[in-house]
Amino acid sequence: MSTTTYSIDRFELDRGILLWGLLVLNTELLLVLGYVFLGSSQVTGVEPLVIPFVWINVSLWVFARAEVPRTSDRQRVIGLVVAVAYFGLLTYFGGLWGAGVPEFPTQFRIAWFSLPPGWAPAVLLNSDLLRVSVIPYQLVGYLALAYLVYATVLDAAGSAITGVLGLLSCVSCSWPILASIFSTVLGGSAALAGELYDQSYLLSTVVFLVTIALLYYRPGWQRGYSSR
């Protein structure tokens, strides 16, 4: 059975993906409207409502469209190890987990309706040893980045040694981590802390989108294997 595709320059959209995309957007719009008109919290701006769905929608597009090269089982294991390590670093510097704060009481809760859609349901945990603050849109975004790093590692395995070296020095892979460290260091200054807090989510979204684009298209990268 043939499928209908819609071509826009170099992009091709499968009709099924297009319909699913419209369904997702409609669902997100209903969630936002429900939160704005029925939620108990006051909406202070557009960014908290829009940013989560930018991350989520781009991540869903990555999962649907990203190509994973065909390689050996050994190379897949290596790619998985690198991707898991990268995901761990992203989530750590992104604040999703870290060392516990003994000064605060031990608690676990799930924030359902006190946060906008995409921020909720947030899983919050604090203990003497571990702190967890899982925000759904960040979790999905970091998974998408790790998935692209996995594909990049497999792609490098099928290329020349220069490709492997290029992966190790891949600026796009480290941008989110560097941005988190940069914000943390500068955030120690009281004069800059407020401004950084106001702009941090917008900045992290820009870094996220640029990183996704670089890892997906890998400009100048010579792909070594056919896709799945």
Side-chain angles (χ1 to χ4, degrees), residues 11-228:
F11 299 97
E12 289 187 354
L13 296 178
D14 182 88
R15 183 174 62 179
I17 294 179
L18 182 61
L19 292 176
W20 275 108
L22 292 175
L23 177 62
V24 169
L25 290 175
N26 287 335
T27 303
E28 292 170 351
L29 179 60
L30 290 175
L31 290 174
V32 170
L33 291 177
Y35 177 80
V36 171
F37 292 107
L38 302 177
S40 57
S41 301
Q42 182 179 2
V43 180
T44 59
V46 177
E47 290 85 353
L49 300 177
V50 174
I51 284 178
F53 293 119
V54 172
W55 284 60
I56 291 172
N57 293 341
V58 170
S59 299
L60 292 177
W61 178 79
V62 165
F63 294 135
R65 302 291 293 178
E67 299 177 346
V68 176
R70 294 188 182 129
T71 59
S72 66
D73 292 339
R74 178 178 177 275
Q75 291 166 340
R76 288 182 179 274
V77 170
I78 293 175
L80 183 61
V81 170
V82 173
V84 169
Y86 180 69
F87 177 76
L89 288 174
L90 280 179
T91 52
Y92 175 78
F93 287 108
L96 270 65
W97 66 278
V101 183
E103 293 79 8
F104 294 166
T106 298
Q107 61 175 350
F108 171 80
R109 68 186 182 94
I110 300 178
W112 289 96
F113 304 110
S114 59
L115 297 173
W119 297 81
V123 178
L124 307 173
L125 165 71
N126 183 68
S127 65
D128 293 343
L129 299 177
L130 180 65
R131 172 189 53 79
V132 175
S133 302
V134 177
I135 308 299
Y137 85 87
Q138 291 180 327
L139 177 63
V140 174
Y142 293 153
L143 283 172
L145 286 170
Y147 182 70
L148 287 176
V149 167
Y150 171 73
T152 304
V153 171
L154 298 189
D155 207 10
S159 303
I161 188 64
T162 54
V164 179
L165 295 177
L167 173 67
L168 296 177
S169 61
C170 177
V171 176
S172 61
C173 301
S174 59
W175 267 17
I177 297 174
L178 294 177
S180 299
I181 296 174
F182 182 74
S183 299
T184 301
V185 172
L186 290 185
S189 170
L192 295 175
E195 182 67 21
L196 283 172
Y197 181 81
D198 292 338
Q199 302 298 327
S200 60
Y201 293 112
L202 183 59
L203 174 62
S204 64
T205 300
V206 172
V207 172
F208 171 74
L209 294 176
V210 173
T211 306
I212 287 287
L214 290 175
L215 286 174
Y216 182 83
Y217 292 105
R218 300 199 275 279
W221 189 283
Q222 183 177 0
R223 298 171 187 264
Y225 276 78
S226 60
S227 61
R228 61 181 175 187

